[in-house]
Amino acid sequence: MATLDRWFHITERGSDVRTELRGGLATFFTMAYIIVLNPIILSSAKDVNGVSLDFAQLTTVTALVAALMTLLMGIVGRYPFAIAAGLGLNGVVAFQLAAVMSWPAAMGVVVLEGIVITILVLTGFRAAVFEAIPLALKQAISVGIGLFIALIGFVDAGFVRRTEAGPVPVGLGIGGRLLGWPTVVFAVGLLLTAILVARRVRGAILIGIVGSTIFAMIIQAIFDVSAQFGPDGKFNPRGWGLNVPELPDKVFAAPDFGLVGQFSIGGSFAKVGVVAALLFVFTLMLADFFDTMGTVVGVGAEGDLLDEDGRLPDVQPVLLVDSLAAVAGGMASASSNTSYIESAAGVADGARTGLANIVTGGLFLVALFLAPILSIVPYEAAAPALVVVGFLLMTQVKNIPWDDYDIAIPAFLTIILMPFTYSITNGIGAGFVSYVVIKATRGKAGDIHPLLWVIAVLFLVYFGIDLVERALGV
């Protein structure tokens, strides 16, 4: 136990083994949906040759890479940042890359992106970017992630939905009405979790998830609610969002590792050309690079793990493992893997060290064989944790100097564009670009760290990627 304590800095960070175990459980149950959702996204697309990836094989590699890289992050990085297939990134792979190349070639692009980021880590560039960001922008990133993760929770639960007509893009439920028993489960779970957090109950997040799941199973047993999308493809607005909370027909499922190693680094260049392939790598790299930065800053701030300048001590191993996760995800055909913002659920429940990751990663290993049983937890039972964690991250807003417009406006854009564009990267990019432009036009260019000039230019290319592609004839 003494060795364990020294390696993970458990006592030093004001935690204990029981708290770390509980936090690891909370993180796993908050992000376990990826074992089902990532295969749904990737298997729903066909590559340029009309080939689809096998759902069962995708389930295996999703859990496998998440398990191994989360464990590695815990042992090497020694922070409670769990890793899994990145949402958004998998959409790019499925619907942009695979549309113009084969699956092995698309996964090869992911591997290349991960290699590039790994080189940036080893050269110290990635850590230098972290240190170059003004403290107020780091605080804004935390707040923006709080709003973003809360919106994810509301959308996943069906509490907030896209409107089909009219000037308002999203609204309450459908037509301003909350529909179905799953929404009741979410509302009850949200109130339960909020009460537990307000009363400072230890393990509030985990208790909320487990309690909401049990309530969902009771509701399902009584009312037999179907999923939103049934076998016939018809949409049921009153149904469960992803998983139906009922006991599956079987508990065990043998993993199928057939997709491991099915990637081609040179395939994308042969299919779409060097310029187009490099643009794909650049787009994925920038999104992955700054998604991770946002997660580390946001989750680190929630756990009081940052120093007085908003920096994570000994961040280099964290960044290295995260970059290798992108490589591993591509090599296993699971799409790019990255640090998960849902780690904030475990941190909110007390996790402060990599020991929590050992629990989370171990559960992902178990999930290789117990994937059917994990389908018991519906979106509506896990989403309340995201909303409450969003509130906890939002509390950082009080530290931003709102009377200094040079930093307040970029901070505002960072915060507001994360939920409005459904992207951490977009918010960070808008904040960086506006910060550089405002400072420069006010004659304060000397206040801008040289690296921020470079990053601002890269983000201008990122935001204008369509114009760049047209100019290059891609």
Side-chain angles (χ1 to χ4, degrees), residues 434-456:
S434 60
Y435 175 77
V436 169
V437 170
I438 291 173
K439 282 288 189 181
T441 55
R442 282 177 50 79
K444 299 179 180 180
D447 294 347
I448 305 171
H449 193 287
L451 279 178
L452 291 185
W453 285 100
V454 176
I455 299 303

Side-chain angles (χ1 to χ4, degrees), residues 236-436:
N236 172 23
R238 293 176 172 80
W240 300 102
L242 180 64
N243 297 326
V244 177
E246 55 188 6
L247 293 175
D249 296 332
K250 58 181 180 178
V251 174
F252 299 98
D256 185 340
F257 299 98
L259 286 177
V260 175
Q262 299 299 312
F263 69 97
S264 170
I265 290 182
S268 59
F269 294 96
K271 188 64 180 179
V272 301
V274 174
V275 174
L278 289 177
L279 286 174
F280 280 135
V281 171
F282 171 78
T283 302
L284 277 177
M285 181 199 73
L286 211 61
D288 201 356
F289 189 108
F290 287 100
D291 263 12
T292 297
M293 190 187 74
T295 298
V296 168
V297 171
V299 177
E302 167 58 27
D304 197 25
L305 298 171
L306 307 181
D307 63 19
E308 62 275 8
D309 296 318
R311 295 176 297 194
L312 187 76
D314 199 20
V315 72
Q316 190 76 351
V318 172
L319 300 180
L320 179 60
V321 174
D322 183 87
S323 61
L324 293 175
V327 178
M331 294 177 69
S333 297
S335 182
S336 183
N337 274 233
T338 186
S339 298
Y340 247 54
I341 191 60
E342 281 85 349
S343 302
V347 171
D349 232 11
R352 295 293 181 271
T353 78
L355 182 58
N357 265 32
I358 305 303
V359 178
T360 305
L363 289 172
F364 270 117
L365 281 179
V366 173
L368 283 170
F369 305 91
L370 297 177
I373 202 71
L374 292 175
S375 63
I376 292 176
V377 182
Y379 262 161
E380 293 79 4
L386 299 181
V387 176
V388 173
V389 170
F391 154 73
L392 295 173
L393 289 169
M394 180 75 184
T395 59
Q396 291 285 318
V397 74
K398 66 181 182 293
N399 299 319
I400 298 172
W402 293 108
D403 55 346
D404 181 1
Y405 285 8
D406 288 6
I407 191 68
I409 293 174
F412 169 75
L413 293 175
T414 298
I415 291 168
I416 210 68
L417 283 177
M418 283 189 192
F420 281 6
T421 65
Y422 225 65
S423 167
I424 294 173
T425 300
N426 291 343
I428 293 174
F432 282 7
V433 172
S434 60
Y435 175 77
V436 169

Side-chain angles (χ1 to χ4, degrees), residues 106-116 263-265 326-332:
M107 294 304 170
V109 171
V110 175
V111 173
L112 279 174
E113 170 254 325
I115 291 174
V116 171
F263 69 97
S264 170
I265 290 182
V327 178
M331 294 177 69

Side-chain angles (χ1 to χ4, degrees), residues 185 188-189 192 206-222 240 245-246 376-378 380-382:
V185 170
V188 171
L192 169 64
L206 180 58
I207 294 172
I209 295 171
V210 174
S212 299
T213 301
I214 293 173
F215 181 50
M217 294 178 69
I218 294 172
I219 290 293
Q220 179 63 20
I222 296 173
W240 300 102
E246 55 188 6
I376 292 176
V377 182
E380 293 79 4

